[in-house]
Amino acid sequence: EVQLLASGGGLVQPGGSLRLSCAASGFTFSNYAMSWVRQAPGKGLEWVSTLTGSGANTYYADSVKGRFTISRDNSKSTLYLQMNSLRAEDTAVYYCASTHFPGSFFEYWGQGTLVTVSS
Amino acid sequence: QSALTQPASVSGSPGQSMTISCTGTSSDVGGYNYVSWYQQYPGKAPKLMIYDVTKRPSGVSNRFSGSKSGNTASLTISGLQAEDEAVYYCGSYRGSSTFVVFGGGTKLTVL
């Protein structure tokens, strides 16, 4: 059974940093691109970032480019999102999801972790 | 404002068919056969229902089907059931820089 377990969310002040993790199991992690998708409270889905299976290629939404860094450790089947210079508008539930190319769809989703940026 | 346009809400009675539209541009929906649909219950993670416009993942009911015409994609749910009441999001590839864009979501109410 595929499982994606996201963690690391919490309350952080504007300008602060946070690192999210997503532990994967039930599939060959290194064979899949992985993404982060977020959802602000009461709002829709917003794609944040994608990383290919090898880690060689990264993609970022303009809203987070230069502030967020996606990475992975295939030996630990874990995906990360380093978030710096956080803003109030980054407040959201962050989901990790397995990602298929070239269709760019998200097949398996984690349960999400809530990030709240507030003073 | 979301990149793709969906109706905010739709409603139907059990047994009826319902179609949810998703309108984009030639840079996303109209330019690629890479439209996907997700179902989300309150407080839960989204679930993939349709990918590559018309394909259904294993385990998804064949009451769900997808199509596309020009810049508009559609999700059709036949034989509506109470369990179909959820929010549905469309997504589309938009090239290597923007990657993926989503619609604002459509709340389906089964009367």
Side-chain angles (χ1 to χ4, degrees), chain A residues 35 37 39 43-47 49-50 59-62 65 95 99-112, chain B residues 2 33-36 38 40 43-48 50-52 57 89 92-93 96-105:
Chain A
S35 300
V37 176
Q39 186 171 35
K43 302 296 185 182
L45 301 174
E46 180 188 13
W47 169 74
S49 182
T50 294
Y59 307 85
Y60 296 96
D62 287 344
K65 203 171 293 184
Y95 295 101
T99 308
H100 286 254
F101 284 101
S104 306
F105 60 90
F106 309 105
E107 183 173 12
Y108 299 111
W109 297 66
Q111 88 289 4
Chain B
S2 299
N33 287 323
Y34 296 144
V35 175
S36 51
Y38 305 88
Q40 187 179 36
K44 299 296 185 181
K47 175 187 176 182
L48 178 67
I50 295 287
Y51 67 96
D52 293 354
Y89 293 94
S92 175
Y93 180 68
S96 59
S97 57
T98 307
F99 201 66
V100 172
V101 290
F102 287 103

Side-chain angles (χ1 to χ4, degrees), chain A residues 10-85:
Chain A
L11 175 64
V12 60
Q13 292 188 338
S17 297
L18 212 55
R19 188 175 87 152
L20 306 183
S21 299
C22 174
S25 61
F27 65 105
T28 305
F29 183 70
S30 58
N31 287 353
Y32 287 83
M34 295 293 295
S35 300
W36 291 96
V37 176
R38 68 184 180 184
Q39 186 171 35
K43 302 296 185 182
L45 301 174
E46 180 188 13
W47 169 74
V48 173
S49 182
T50 294
L51 177 61
T52 53
S54 65
N57 297 98
T58 58
Y59 307 85
Y60 296 96
D62 287 344
S63 58
V64 306
K65 203 171 293 184
R67 299 188 299 123
F68 290 12
T69 302
I70 191 172
S71 63
R72 65 194 295 159
D73 184 337
N74 286 342
S75 68
K76 296 181 179 179
S77 296
T78 301
L79 176 73
Y80 303 101
L81 185 68
Q82 178 67 43
M83 304 185 295
N84 298 330
S85 303

Side-chain angles (χ1 to χ4, degrees), chain B residues 14-38:
Chain B
Q16 287 185 329
S17 288
M18 178 62 61
T19 296
I20 299 172
S21 63
C22 170
T23 301
T25 69
S26 58
S27 296
D28 37 66
V29 174
Y32 308 92
N33 287 323
Y34 296 144
V35 175
S36 51
W37 290 90
Y38 305 88

Side-chain angles (χ1 to χ4, degrees), chain B residues 27-85:
Chain B
S27 296
D28 37 66
V29 174
Y32 308 92
N33 287 323
Y34 296 144
V35 175
S36 51
W37 290 90
Y38 305 88
Q39 177 192 63
Q40 187 179 36
Y41 294 116
K44 299 296 185 181
K47 175 187 176 182
L48 178 67
M49 303 302 285
I50 295 287
Y51 67 96
D52 293 354
V53 180
T54 62
K55 298 176 182 176
R56 241 184 351 263
S58 174
V60 172
S61 171
N62 59 8
R63 297 187 298 105
F64 291 83
S65 62
S67 62
K68 189 185 84 168
S69 177
N71 294 337
T72 297
S74 299
L75 173 70
T76 298
I77 309 170
S78 60
L80 274 177
Q81 299 178 1
E83 68 200 50
D84 299 332
E85 186 163 294

